[in-house]
Amino acid sequence: MFDGFRNETFHLRAMLFCTINDFPSYGNLSGYSVKGHRAWPICEEDTSYIQLKHDRKTVYTRHRSFLKPCHPYRRLKKEFNGNQEHETAPIPLIGDQVFQRVQHLNTIFGKTKKKEKK
């Protein structure tokens, strides 16, 4: 970067703190896979999904578990999948748990070079 006041260049390091975006953009921004059966980032391995037979699409279920236990949508059957929702939302990870998952990641900044064709 260039500092116009001091008339010199410097290395700027920044961190993206918060964004509001759609799900595909979330995947592009974070590097997280947002496709497939385990694509829901909050539930990860416990993601509940249904594979539609004719459309070959994945539908993620159990979203009502994030509502309050007494919320009226939890009791609705016909409007959703024919069942009431009695499960509770997963407990969010604490800082140490997140760190244990990412401490061994090797992050390479910058653009990658394309492999040469032989």
Side-chain angles (χ1 to χ4, degrees):
M1 291 296 294
F2 180 76
D3 184 350
F5 182 75
R6 293 186 179 174
N7 202 23
E8 61 185 25
T9 60
F10 65 96
H11 288 284
L12 175 68
R13 295 176 189 233
M15 178 179 77
L16 185 61
F17 178 69
C18 183
T19 64
I20 298 173
N21 44 283
D22 62 2
F23 206 56
S25 297
Y26 167 79
N28 290 337
L29 185 64
S30 67
Y32 195 89
S33 174
V34 293
K35 296 178 182 176
H37 295 162
R38 304 286 181 234
W40 195 244
I42 296 170
C43 298
E44 293 182 333
E45 297 87 21
D46 297 327
T47 300
S48 176
Y49 63 91
I50 297 171
Q51 188 74 34
L52 298 179
K53 294 177 184 176
H54 301 291
D55 293 324
R56 297 184 320 194
K57 294 187 182 206
T58 303
V59 178
Y60 303 103
T61 58
R62 292 195 333 221
H63 289 90
R64 292 178 290 164
S65 65
F66 292 93
L67 297 171
K68 292 180 182 180
C70 59
H71 197 283
Y73 280 12
R74 284 181 167 260
R75 293 188 302 272
L76 297 178
K77 293 181 182 181
K78 185 172 59 171
E79 290 80 357
F80 294 98
N81 61 352
N83 298 318
Q84 290 185 354
E85 183 64 58
H86 299 291
E87 295 185 34
T88 58
I91 299 171
L93 300 175
I94 60 173
D96 290 336
Q97 293 170 319
V98 173
F99 178 70
Q100 287 177 359
R101 290 184 178 198
V102 301
Q103 68 181 352
H104 300 295
L105 292 178
N106 183 17
T107 305
I108 301 171
F109 295 102
K111 295 183 177 181
T112 57
K113 295 180 180 178
K114 293 183 178 180
K115 294 181 181 179
E116 295 181 15
K117 294 182 180 179
K118 291 184 179 181

